[in-house]
């Protein structure tokens, strides 16, 4: 009796267990369900998205999908606006547009300095921006040293007249030495001749500008004392200007010193002036990674003013190469990658080496060949989808050292 009860119990247990197993269908490892709006949702049974509550889409895994590939559904491709194009040969020009500012041409700037110590009694030009012609009176100076030197010269002239009938070789040398001192201290030949003619030592002496230009610096005021070698004014010749442009270190390789430089002036309705690269700074700012180049341009009628904004456009002849839309390339600190199609709705990333950029195109130097089908729109959606499904960055497996 007991044995019969045990057999019946065991049979009933096995029956109910087999029925339970029939109700739970085994999970298909090659099928999963995801949301077309929220691709991070991955379920292994049908239902609704816990985020947007839309019905989940059944996706069949491809047996041919490799570890570094990702396969999308037709719905995902449509919603993600993913478009492909076949890469082919094209042309691209070395064109670089840089932001610049007009500045003084330092090669045509000069300073007028005092050659003797004294007090400035009068300034003939008192405003920044005043134009000074070469030879124009610039300032009057009272100088005890200069007055003593003039008085010494007058005494030697009187002594020469007193000993007119005698030959004194050393006396003539002393007279010439006294005259040279006056010339070295800034007096002109005409002023020395006038002193010799009038025999009158004035308290102040007028000094004249040794060059022409616009006053860009004037730190002296009437009544100020100036030391020997002290700057009176700084002058700038505006017949030519520098367009100083900032360039990033990554763009330096694209700059050809012999290339055509066009300076565009937005304040003059985009007026363009041809120029040449005069200088490329050999030192790079370590904080900003920015360098400086200078383009010299003529300034007819002095219409252009220092401080005006400008653009510097550098062009080189176009050449044939592989090109892609700039939006097709994903770039970060590790390098540049693009997505290519390997099969129907299947994609993978490849590392590429980029070159020149022109408008909306970018040069591909290596990593792709003619005929590769490249994703040109929706690349960041592919990147996000890969990270959600694979749990890793698709660029992490690439080695830029081999490029």
């Amino acid at each position: 009796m007991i044995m019969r009860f045990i057999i019946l119990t065991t049979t009933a247990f096995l029956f109910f267990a087999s029925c339970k197993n029939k109700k739970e269908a085994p999970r298909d490892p090659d099928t999963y369900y995801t949301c077309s709006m929220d691709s991070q949702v991955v379920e292994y049974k049908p239902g609704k998205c816990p985020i947007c509550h839309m019905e989940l889409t059944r996706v069949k895994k491809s047996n041919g999908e490799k570890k570094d590939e990702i396969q999308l559904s037709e719905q995902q491709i449509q919603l993600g606006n993913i478009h492909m194009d076949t890469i082919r040969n094209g042309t691209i020009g070395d064109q670089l547009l840089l932001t610049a500012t007009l500045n003084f041409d330092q090669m045509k700037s000069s300073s007028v300095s005092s050659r003797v110590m004294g007090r400035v009694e009068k300034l003939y030009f008192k405003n920044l921006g005043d134009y000074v012609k070469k030879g124009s009176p610039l300032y009057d100076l009272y100088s005890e040293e200069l007055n003593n030197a003039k008085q010494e010269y007058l005494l030697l002239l009187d002594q020469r007249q007193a000993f007119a009938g005698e030959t004194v070789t050393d006396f003539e040398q002393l007279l010439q030495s006294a005259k040279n001192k006056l010339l070295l201290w800034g007096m002109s030949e005409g002023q020395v001749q006038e002193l010799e003619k009038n025999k009158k030592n004035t308290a102040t002496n007028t000094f004249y500008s040794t060059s022409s230009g616009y006053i860009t610096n004037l730190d002296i005021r009437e009544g100020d004392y100036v030391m020997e070698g002290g700057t009176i004014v700084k002058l700038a010749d505006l017949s030519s200007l520098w367009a100083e442009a900032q360039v990033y270190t990554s763009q330096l390789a694209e700059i050809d010193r012999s290339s055509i430089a066009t300076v565009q002036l937005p304040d003059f309705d985009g007026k363009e002036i041809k120029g040449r690269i005069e200088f490329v700074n050999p030192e790079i700012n370590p904080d900003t990674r920015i360098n400086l180049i200078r383009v010299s341009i003529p300034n007819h009628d002095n219409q252009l003013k220092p401080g005006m904004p400008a653009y510097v456009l550098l062009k080189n002849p176009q050449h044939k190469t592989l090109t892609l839309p700039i939006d097709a390339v994903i770039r970060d600190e590790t390098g540049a990658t693009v997505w290519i199609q390997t099969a129907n709705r299947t994609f993978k990333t490849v590392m590429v080496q980029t070159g020149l950029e022109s408008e909306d195109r970018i040069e591909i130097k290596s990593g792709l060949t003619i005929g590769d089908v490249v994703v040109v729109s929706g690349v960041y959606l592919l990147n996000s989808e890969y990270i959600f499904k694979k749990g890793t960055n698709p660029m992490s497996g690439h080695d830029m050292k081999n490029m």
Side-chain angles (χ1 to χ4, degrees):
M1 191 70 179
I2 295 176
M3 182 60 68
R4 185 179 178 184
F5 175 77
I6 294 174
I7 293 173
L8 290 174
T9 304
T10 304
T11 303
F13 176 78
L14 293 174
F15 175 78
F16 285 115
S18 68
C19 291
K20 184 177 181 181
N21 290 338
K22 287 180 181 180
K23 290 181 181 180
E24 294 183 358
R27 188 179 67 181
D28 184 359
D30 292 330
T31 301
Y32 65 93
Y33 297 83
T34 185
C35 179
S36 58
M37 299 298 295
D38 303 284
S39 57
Q40 70 269 30
V41 176
V42 177
E43 300 288 346
Y44 290 94
K45 60 181 180 179
K48 293 186 178 182
C49 174
I51 298 177
C52 64
H53 304 292
M54 290 179 60
E55 289 292 334
L56 297 178
T57 303
R58 182 174 179 270
V59 179
K60 184 74 174 178
K61 289 185 179 180
S62 173
N63 294 329
E65 180 178 311
K66 298 179 181 178
K67 181 180 179 181
D68 59 345
E69 294 179 342
I70 184 173
Q71 189 178 66
L72 301 181
S73 66
E74 290 291 348
Q75 189 178 14
Q76 287 176 312
I77 292 176
Q78 292 178 2
L79 292 175
N81 195 30
I82 296 174
H83 297 283
M84 288 77 70
D85 193 11
T86 302
I87 191 170
R88 58 183 66 89
N89 267 327
T91 58
I92 193 168
D94 188 357
Q95 179 171 306
L96 193 63
L97 185 63
L98 305 173
T99 303
T101 303
L102 299 186
N103 205 346
F104 296 104
D105 186 343
Q106 299 299 330
M107 303 299 293
K108 294 188 176 181
S109 298
S110 59
S111 297
V112 179
S113 303
S114 176
R115 298 187 182 183
V116 64
M117 182 177 66
R119 183 177 68 249
V120 177
E121 296 294 331
K122 181 179 180 179
L123 283 173
Y124 290 89
F125 298 91
K126 301 180 180 181
N127 301 312
L128 292 177
D130 286 345
Y131 182 75
V132 180
K133 290 184 178 180
K134 184 178 181 179
S136 299
L138 195 60
Y139 65 101
D140 291 345
L141 187 75
Y142 169 79
S143 172
E144 291 188 9
E145 288 181 294
L146 183 57
N147 288 341
N148 291 336
K150 289 193 293 183
Q151 189 63 41
E152 178 184 349
Y153 183 66
L154 291 176
L155 289 175
L156 289 173
L157 288 175
D158 291 340
Q159 291 177 8
R160 184 181 67 174
Q161 187 174 3
F163 295 98
E166 300 181 14
T167 302
V168 184
T169 304
D170 293 342
F171 184 82
E172 291 295 332
Q173 291 180 350
L174 290 173
L175 187 64
Q176 186 62 41
S177 177
K179 180 180 179 179
N180 289 339
K181 181 185 291 186
L182 296 178
L183 295 175
L184 290 174
W185 279 358
M187 291 184 64
S188 65
E189 184 70 34
Q191 287 175 316
V192 175
Q193 291 177 2
E194 185 179 358
L195 177 65
E196 183 177 348
K197 178 182 177 180
N198 297 332
K199 303 290 180 64
K200 183 179 180 181
N201 185 5
T202 57
T204 61
N205 197 76
T206 301
F207 290 87
Y208 299 85
S209 178
T210 56
S211 58
S212 301
Y214 292 87
I215 297 178
T216 60
N217 188 283
L218 181 61
D219 294 332
I220 295 294
R221 298 290 182 268
E222 292 181 350
D224 290 348
Y225 279 84
V226 61
M227 302 300 294
E228 179 181 355
T231 301
I232 303 298
V233 294
K234 290 184 178 180
L235 304 175
D237 182 356
L238 300 183
S239 61
S240 65
L241 295 176
W242 278 345
E244 295 185 329
Q246 294 182 340
V247 54
Y248 290 98
T249 54
S250 59
Q251 298 172 313
L252 287 175
E254 304 175 31
I255 295 178
D256 185 358
R257 292 287 295 266
S258 61
S259 64
I260 300 172
T262 304
V263 178
Q264 299 175 344
L265 304 166
D267 289 345
F268 289 86
D269 296 328
K271 178 182 178 181
E272 294 186 349
I273 302 176
K274 302 295 182 182
R276 64 183 185 276
I277 299 177
E278 294 282 355
F279 175 77
V280 177
N281 192 356
E283 183 180 4
I284 299 173
N285 188 320
D287 297 325
T288 61
R289 309 299 295 170
I290 290 178
N291 204 343
L292 181 74
I293 67 170
R294 295 190 182 116
V295 177
S296 179
I297 58 174
N299 185 17
H300 301 297
D301 300 327
N302 292 335
Q303 289 185 337
L304 308 180
K305 307 298 180 184
M308 283 184 172
Y311 297 102
V312 174
L313 182 64
L314 303 177
K315 291 183 179 180
N316 276 338
Q318 292 190 339
H319 61 278
K320 290 185 177 181
T321 184
L322 296 178
T323 65
L324 281 176
I326 292 180
D327 293 340
V329 181
I330 300 177
R331 286 176 283 188
D332 63 8
E333 67 278 0
T334 62
T337 59
V338 299
W339 283 91
I340 64 172
Q341 186 179 28
T342 58
N344 183 30
R345 298 184 287 107
T346 304
F347 309 91
K348 67 176 291 187
T349 58
V350 293
M351 183 75 74
V352 295
Q353 184 180 8
T354 59
L356 304 177
E357 295 183 26
S358 178
E359 297 179 354
D360 61 341
R361 307 291 294 183
I362 186 170
E363 178 185 12
I364 303 299
K365 290 186 174 181
S366 63
L368 296 176
T369 58
I370 297 176
D372 286 340
V373 180
V374 182
V375 177
V376 296
S377 174
V379 291
Y380 287 98
L381 182 140
L382 273 172
N383 233 45
S384 301
E385 186 72 8
Y386 187 97
I387 294 174
F388 285 136
K389 289 186 177 180
K390 306 288 185 176
T392 182
N393 193 324
M395 298 182 71
S396 60
H398 298 289
D399 186 7
M400 191 61 185
K401 297 179 181 179
N402 298 326
M403 296 301 299

